[in-house]
Amino acid sequence: MKSPIAYALTLAVGFGLATPSFAQETAQTGAAPANLSEVAPAEGVRNDTVDDAKIRSFVEALAAVQIVGKHYTARIDGEEDGSKRAELIDLANSDIVRAIETVKNITPADYVAIDQAVRTDEALNTRILAALDEAAKEAERHQEVLQQEIEKVER
């Protein structure tokens, strides 16, 4: 089954920016996670436990992760110095977690849990794909309205 977040995280995963897994050290120290690989997923996430508001928040968080990934990809790819590249990756990792934290109604733990659940829960995957489709259509509508407004101003 194709994950709806696969396309959005391809670059991030390639750089180790968004690989969900348990991190006992974070749980033991109580320190804020520096990247998603340090975030323990929320428990009990399944299609029947995720409401529509959480799906919308996940899609918004996914967009935020995508933006962070796009921001850092060229910089990381272009950096030849290994230590500077590692610093950029660390910064990108932190910014991904912070970006998710800015979205209402979702935590990094929720995000990681949903990310993992969509790989095996076809119904949840379908709902997220539908939400992604709706978000894309909404963005297109907004773009059309903005284009019309620009054309009015240019006349």
Side-chain angles (χ1 to χ4, degrees):
M1 160 184 357
K2 183 176 180 182
S3 169
I5 62 171
Y7 76 92
L9 298 180
T10 299
L11 296 174
V13 170
F15 294 119
L17 302 178
T19 307
S21 69
F22 290 96
Q24 293 177 351
E25 289 179 11
T26 302
Q28 291 169 353
T29 65
N35 64 56
L36 288 181
S37 67
E38 297 176 355
V39 175
E43 294 191 21
V45 173
R46 301 179 313 275
N47 182 54
D48 61 342
T49 64
V50 179
D51 63 18
D52 290 342
K54 185 71 75 184
I55 295 285
R56 285 188 298 277
S57 295
F58 178 80
V59 169
E60 187 177 336
L62 180 60
V65 168
Q66 217 174 2
I67 290 167
V68 172
K70 285 180 181 180
H71 174 75
Y72 282 101
T73 299
R75 293 173 60 192
I76 291 169
D77 283 346
E79 184 54 63
E80 294 181 16
D81 181 295
S83 63
K84 289 181 182 178
R85 182 180 168 100
E87 287 176 20
L88 283 172
I89 290 171
D90 288 344
L91 186 58
N93 283 332
S94 296
D95 283 353
I96 284 172
V97 173
R98 280 195 294 274
I100 295 167
E101 289 173 336
T102 65
V103 178
K104 292 179 183 176
N105 193 37
I106 194 164
T107 66
D110 295 331
Y111 181 89
V112 169
I114 293 170
D115 173 30
Q116 291 176 352
V118 298
R119 298 165 201 253
T120 58
D121 188 330
E122 191 169 336
L124 181 60
N125 188 52
T126 299
R127 288 176 62 208
I128 290 174
L129 287 171
L132 285 167
D133 187 49
E134 182 57 36
K137 289 176 183 175
E138 184 177 335
E140 286 177 22
R141 287 190 296 267
H142 286 291
Q143 187 173 4
E144 289 172 7
V145 169
L146 287 173
Q147 185 62 38
Q148 291 170 358
E149 292 299 317
I150 290 169
E151 290 171 4
K152 286 179 186 177
V153 170
E154 290 176 346
R155 289 183 199 159

